[in-house]
Amino acid sequence: MNLRLLTTACAGILPLLALAAGDITGKIINKDTGNPMDFVTIQLVDANTGKALPIGATTDEQGDFILKNVKDGKYIVKISNIGSIDQERSIEVKGSNVNIGSVKLADDAKLLQEVVVEGIRSQMRFELDKKVFSVDANIAAAGQSASELLESIPSVEVDQDGEVSLRGNSSVTIWINGKESGLTADNRAQILEQIPAETIDKIEVITNPSAKYSPEGTAGIINIILKKDRKAGYYGSAEVSANSRGGGNAGLNINYNSSKVDAFAGLGFRMRHPKGGSKMDRQFDDGTYTRSEGESPSHGNNIFLRLGATVHLTDKDDISASGFGMLGHNKGNSTTRYVSNVPGNWLQNNDLSHSRGNHRGMHAEVGYTHKWNDNHTLDFTGSYNHWGGPNDRNYLQEIIYPDFEEDIYQEQNMDMSTNSWEAKLDYTNHLNDWLKLEAGFNGNYSKENTPTDTYIGTSPEDMVQNEALYNRFIYRNNVSALYATLGGKVQNFSFSAGLRSESWQVRTRSLAFGQTEADVPEFKKNNFALFPSAFVSWSLPYDNELQINYTRRLRRPWGGQLNSFHDISDPTNVSYGNPELQPQYSNAFELNWLKSWTFHMISLSAYMRTANDMMNRISYLDGGVMYSTWANIADELNSGCEIVMKNSLFNSRLDLTTTVNLYNNHISAWNYNFLAESGNYVPLSGNKQNSFAWDARVMANVRLPWSLALQASGNYNSKRLSAQGSRQGGWNVDLGVRRVFGSWSFSLNCRDLFDSRRFKSTTNGIDYTQYNERWRNGRTVRLTVKYTFGNMNSKHNKNDGEPADNSGYGDMEM
């Protein structure tokens, strides 16, 4: 009887033992600098057979990795990274978790010197609250600007004017190195166009940021991280490129790192010769029309400089100073020919314009970091930003009426100046093994002062100042925020909850000719709001992960949207801002599922965003002229699903990354009586509408013989509706190839291979329909040559004087 019970018990226990499993964790750091290493490949191998198992991972920003739910047995953990000496660790799982400790990877000096790239680095990494894209893995990035580079990021779109949207939503915040850096909705298109892509290390896309981050941007945050490597010794690169449109780049970057000082510097020159065009067809219900066609070639060049240094005062204290700046010049010509058969209007209007401008800007910051230990830190940064420069534009209108002709000459001079100060204080403390506290302060205090002067006549010789069109816009926005988050991990369950409080004050003045600040009362708005966030994550068996999160976000109106000044650059389309524009608040929910294998990964994100008093651009006709401004109209509900698939095929010779974004936009019915320029009220309204749209992007990286790497990407956007019309669908294809010869690399890229990148839209009014089509550049072929140099054999660690470890295994700390 006892033997039978014992046999039965063993039969029940043995299957449970066979299913016993544990997590394998560890941390990878650079042997010379002590810094954590991200994007390191971790592969699990069966110790008995020597075969690679379908279990693997890559390290995150902190150098950490986790292999989940590994069955009991003996294994080898293989650790590999391009430019480092591979390592292996033998382990055994016995029904519990295994931590291999901190593994120090030594640089492979010969490999780094020769820059022999045997594979293609993974371009995308998933983290709890963001996706991270490596720029070095993007062949097409060679010779591009930051603006062009963003076009290759899944779910990110850059339109004809350089405006960025994320998941079809233009309310997105863009940072540089985790800070606003003076970028606003008014200037960021120009700044991104001037930043060379070769200075960028990676791009983070944070679709639902926690309370630690600014709530600005209902679509989320795009964080551009500039390069600042920390390999020991000195090293750098020089790059030159030229394209088929007469443009080109040249740049030099250098780094020096030791146990006491890390320093970097970079200098780049960029020259552009873009050429654009436009079409417009405004059809009225009575059969009349106004049409136009135009072309706009231009020229621009700029210098981009960045430099910085970090001094390691002690093992626990660092101080740093860094900055970047740019100087640029642009000029352009535009010729637009209008025809019309509207009664009482002109028959033909030839608009000839010439623009010129100088752009200057800089960002400077100082920082201090104190580490009680790796899990208990205090960070402070203070920064100053200045962006601006004079911009002049003149217009000659050759107008033909049925009975006579006349010429009207206008010139606008605008000198934009934006200054801001930013301060950040971040405190992090791992209270115990499973709980972490983060708290801090963030302040941003900005001022814009933009005078605009207009002159009018029949030619440059007889023009006089038009006092009625003079405008000086003064705009201040001061934001102060406090935040706290509490999070941690208990076994397979991770959580984080936070609250951010923000107080901001908006002050504006719009001065007419002859007025001073004392003559015009200041328009004031004081705001206060709370922004909660919550994140929950479960690690499920068989490498599955489930995440749920919620945040409250807002979209604040910026300078140009509040400035009542009228832009008359197009005589048939006049735009201006609305000082009464209110912030738009939204609530964002996301549900994410992540499943990974060794050579495959799939991510599924379902999201929903609600918004009240939506900020939208509205248009109306008054006296035959189309006016556009901003207003708070309607409520909005966005819901969608983003699917990301990564596949490594044919022994990793082909890497495919596919992103599909499906979303539905619901806008409530709305009515708005708008006070037009004529003094009359124009009734505007929109019916309730549901708009389903989708976009897809596929990027293929192919590893070819002879050290060749090929990259092809394609993008498609479907038609999408807006409050007053729609934007048509579009597609484009980019292609690139790279060849490495020791320290030299050559890249040949073709942007917009089929010359299909065009932006088409339709606007519906009370008695008209208007179609617009715009394009810029088109097919462009670019050749880039890069040379990498340096002495990375130097060992500048705290054990200087000790013999170098040439075993290839580095050090391991438990």
Side-chain angles (χ1 to χ4, degrees):
M1 181 66 177
N2 291 336
L3 180 61
R4 185 176 300 172
L5 287 174
L6 179 61
T7 303
T8 303
C10 289
I13 292 172
L14 285 174
L16 296 177
L17 292 175
L19 292 174
D23 294 344
I24 302 174
T25 58
K27 188 181 190 72
I28 311 301
I29 60 178
N30 184 280
K31 180 181 178 182
D32 299 314
T33 67
N35 282 346
M37 300 176 64
D38 59 356
F39 287 105
V40 176
T41 300
I42 310 298
Q43 175 68 56
L44 198 64
V45 176
D46 189 315
N48 297 320
T49 65
K51 292 184 178 181
L53 300 173
I55 302 173
T58 56
T59 57
D60 61 18
E61 278 188 327
Q62 285 71 45
D64 298 323
F65 72 88
I66 180 170
L67 304 176
K68 301 174 183 176
N69 301 310
V70 178
K71 294 181 180 180
D72 282 4
K74 294 182 178 181
Y75 301 96
I76 297 172
V77 179
K78 295 189 68 174
I79 305 160
S80 60
N81 181 60
I82 294 174
S84 303
I85 299 174
D86 295 348
Q87 295 197 42
E88 296 181 355
R89 294 290 182 267
S90 298
I91 62 158
E92 184 174 3
V93 179
K94 295 181 178 180
S96 60
N97 298 335
V98 176
N99 187 339
I100 68 171
S102 294
V103 179
K104 294 183 178 181
L105 282 190
D107 289 340
D108 188 332
K110 183 176 184 297
L111 186 61
L112 287 170
Q113 290 273 359
E114 296 179 355
V115 200
V116 177
V117 181
E118 296 295 340
I120 299 173
R121 186 183 181 190
S122 174
Q123 190 192 20
M124 179 168 55
R125 183 183 71 233
F126 284 78
E127 297 187 5
L128 177 64
D129 60 348
K130 60 190 171 187
K131 300 181 185 74
V132 183
F133 298 87
S134 169
V135 174
D136 286 341
N138 191 338
I139 297 175
Q144 288 189 339
S145 67
S147 181
E148 292 171 321
L149 179 62
L150 286 174
E151 295 182 25
S152 66
I153 303 298
S155 298
V156 176
E157 185 179 0
V158 182
D159 70 11
Q160 177 70 21
D161 299 314
E163 297 301 327
V164 181
S165 60
L166 175 62
R167 289 178 174 174
N169 188 342
S170 61
S171 176
V172 57
T173 294
I174 298 181
W175 285 349
I176 298 177
N177 291 337
K179 304 173 187 66
E180 294 183 10
S181 302
L183 271 68
T184 70
D186 293 332
N187 64 21
R188 71 185 185 192
Q190 289 182 341
I191 294 173
L192 294 176
E193 178 64 29
Q194 297 180 63
I195 298 177
E198 62 264 22
T199 66
I200 300 173
D201 178 39
K202 56 192 172 186
I203 295 175
E204 300 175 342
V205 177
I206 313 171
T207 54
N208 221 15
S210 72
K212 179 179 180 179
Y213 301 98
S214 167
E216 179 68 39
T218 57
I221 296 171
I222 298 175
N223 187 22
I224 299 173
I225 307 294
L226 301 181
K227 288 180 178 177
K228 190 171 64 173
D229 295 331
R230 279 210 65 201
K231 300 183 185 74
Y234 73 88
Y235 55 98
S237 64
E239 182 173 307
V240 63
S241 70
N243 64 51
S244 57
R245 296 187 176 273
N249 290 39
L252 175 68
N253 297 281
I254 189 167
N255 297 262
Y256 172 77
N257 300 313
S258 70
S259 61
K260 289 296 183 182
V261 177
D262 300 325
F264 65 91
L267 179 65
F269 172 77
R270 179 172 172 79
M271 181 171 61
R272 312 176 300 280
H273 291 290
K275 184 178 181 180
S278 64
K279 291 182 180 179
M280 185 272 288
D281 187 0
R282 185 182 301 157
Q283 295 283 346
F284 295 91
D285 293 345
D286 61 5
T288 58
Y289 62 83
T290 299
R291 296 170 182 158
S292 72
E293 289 189 4
E295 57 184 25
S296 52
S298 61
H299 165 80
N301 55 61
N302 69 276
I303 295 174
F304 183 82
L305 171 69
R306 64 186 186 95
L307 51 88
T310 299
V311 179
H312 310 294
L313 298 176
T314 68
D315 290 342
K316 298 183 177 181
D317 298 278
D318 293 343
I319 60 171
S320 63
S322 63
F324 59 87
M326 61 183 67
L327 293 171
H329 171 77
N330 69 278
K331 61 181 180 180
N333 297 289
S334 176
T335 302
T336 307
R337 295 165 294 277
Y338 297 88
V339 294
S340 177
N341 66 355
V342 176
N345 198 15
W346 39 257
L347 300 177
Q348 186 174 332
N349 187 336
N350 296 325
D351 184 13
L352 312 175
S353 69
H354 174 73
S355 63
R356 59 188 180 276
N358 294 311
H359 308 291
R360 52 179 180 262
M362 56 88 68
H363 167 85
E365 72 174 59
V366 295
Y368 169 74
T369 300
H370 177 75
K371 289 185 177 182
W372 289 273
N373 54 56
D374 288 341
N375 296 322
H376 190 189
T377 63
L378 180 69
D379 267 312
F380 169 78
T381 58
S383 61
Y384 169 74
N385 308 281
H386 170 76
W387 302 102
N391 290 274
D392 304 327
R393 190 164 189 170
N394 56 58
Y395 318 87
L396 174 61
Q397 298 180 56
E398 300 172 342
I399 307 173
I400 301 175
Y401 291 93
D403 302 324
F404 67 98
E405 300 179 7
E406 72 170 335
D407 291 346
I408 298 177
Y409 181 84
Q410 300 178 75
E411 183 171 313
Q412 266 186 3
N413 305 319
M414 178 184 293
D415 191 359
M416 180 176 288
S417 177
T418 302
N419 298 277
S420 66
W421 293 88
E422 186 173 4
K424 283 180 58 108
L425 183 67
D426 297 302
Y427 173 77
T428 303
N429 189 3
H430 288 254
L431 302 175
N432 51 45
D433 291 339
W434 57 273
L435 193 62
K436 180 175 74 171
L437 170 68
E438 292 180 300
F441 166 82
N442 186 201
N444 191 294
Y445 312 100
S446 63
K447 178 182 178 180
E448 178 183 331
N449 188 349
T450 307
T452 302
D453 220 350
T454 303
Y455 297 82
I456 191 167
T458 61
S459 68
E461 289 73 26
D462 66 0
M463 67 178 184
V464 295
Q465 185 177 23
N466 188 328
E467 297 179 359
L469 293 179
Y470 175 86
N471 177 261
R472 181 185 170 199
F473 183 63
I474 301 173
Y475 165 70
R476 294 181 177 89
N477 187 34
N478 299 323
V479 183
S480 301
L482 293 169
Y483 77 88
T485 66
L486 191 65
K489 182 176 182 180
V490 179
Q491 295 183 347
N492 294 328
F493 176 75
S494 300
F495 64 92
S496 175
L499 182 65
R500 184 183 185 95
S501 65
E502 284 206 354
S503 170
W504 69 99
Q505 300 79 41
V506 177
R507 303 288 186 266
T508 65
R509 279 191 176 97
S510 189
L511 309 184
F513 182 80
Q515 290 182 324
T516 65
E517 292 188 49
D519 299 326
V520 179
E522 195 171 48
F523 185 84
K524 299 180 180 181
K525 288 183 182 179
N526 296 315
N527 302 272
F528 176 80
L530 297 175
F531 300 93
S533 68
F535 291 74
V536 176
S537 175
W538 292 274
S539 295
L540 304 174
Y542 307 106
D543 292 321
N544 289 273
E545 187 163 349
L546 191 65
Q547 302 171 356
I548 300 175
N549 55 65
Y550 160 78
T551 62
R552 188 181 188 224
R553 312 283 301 163
L554 91 157
R555 182 183 184 184
R556 267 185 284 254
W558 287 95
Q561 297 169 328
L562 298 171
N563 188 2
S564 58
F565 172 71
H566 290 53
D567 181 358
I568 59 171
S569 58
D570 183 341
T572 66
N573 294 277
V574 177
S575 61
Y576 60 98
N578 178 7
E580 298 288 346
L581 196 62
Q582 298 293 324
Q584 171 186 320
Y585 294 91
S586 69
N587 294 286
F589 305 83
E590 281 199 23
L591 174 63
N592 303 313
W593 171 67
L594 182 67
K595 166 67 176 174
S596 60
W597 300 265
T598 302
F599 302 107
H600 308 279
M601 185 279 302
I602 184 170
S603 167
L604 181 64
S605 300
Y607 57 88
M608 181 177 69
R609 285 178 172 81
T610 64
N612 298 321
D613 295 326
M614 180 177 60
M615 289 170 49
N616 212 328
R617 182 180 289 277
I618 61 172
S619 301
Y620 64 91
L621 271 174
D622 188 29
V625 177
M626 177 73 73
Y627 290 89
S628 299
T629 187
W630 290 86
N632 296 102
I633 58 170
D635 297 331
E636 185 179 37
L637 172 63
N638 283 319
S639 58
C641 178
E642 184 183 65
I643 305 167
V644 180
M645 294 173 288
K646 294 177 62 180
N647 295 280
S648 182
L649 308 172
F650 308 114
N651 196 25
S652 298
R653 291 192 176 275
L654 172 62
D655 288 331
L656 283 177
T657 301
T658 305
T659 304
V660 179
N661 189 26
L662 313 168
Y663 52 94
N664 184 75
N665 176 252
H666 172 80
I667 300 176
S668 65
W670 58 276
N671 292 279
Y672 198 93
N673 288 322
F674 204 87
L675 182 61
E677 293 301 295
S678 61
N680 299 319
Y681 280 93
V682 177
L684 301 175
S685 63
N687 296 323
K688 177 179 69 175
Q689 59 177 259
N690 283 289
S691 168
F692 174 79
W694 65 280
D695 58 68
R697 188 188 303 271
V698 178
M699 177 173 286
N701 290 294
V702 185
R703 204 176 77 190
L704 301 172
W706 311 293
S707 298
L708 280 173
L710 174 70
Q711 186 176 83
S713 63
N715 181 59
Y716 175 77
N717 294 286
S718 72
K719 178 181 178 179
R720 63 186 68 170
L721 300 181
S722 62
Q724 279 189 287
S726 64
R727 208 194 78 179
Q728 310 304 311
W731 62 279
N732 61 272
V733 174
D734 298 334
L735 190 65
V737 63
R738 180 165 58 199
R739 174 72 161 89
V740 177
F741 297 91
S743 297
W744 295 86
S745 69
F746 298 82
S747 301
L748 183 65
N749 299 298
C750 182
R751 183 177 182 269
D752 198 6
L753 181 64
F754 297 102
D755 206 16
S756 58
R757 196 180 252 115
R758 298 198 172 202
F759 295 87
K760 307 173 184 179
S761 63
T762 302
T763 301
N764 300 313
I766 296 176
D767 58 354
Y768 71 92
T769 298
Q770 179 170 308
Y771 169 80
N772 288 88
E773 183 175 340
R774 302 176 66 197
W775 60 92
R776 189 182 182 192
N777 285 332
R779 184 187 300 111
T780 305
V781 179
R782 179 184 293 110
L783 174 66
T784 303
V785 180
K786 183 177 181 179
Y787 174 72
T788 305
F789 59 88
N791 174 20
M792 288 152 288
N793 290 314
S794 303
K795 306 297 180 184
H796 296 290
N797 54 31
K798 293 181 175 61
N799 298 318
D800 283 349
E802 295 183 4
D805 180 0
N806 296 315
S807 65
Y809 291 97
D811 296 333
M812 180 175 71
E813 295 178 356
M814 299 298 288

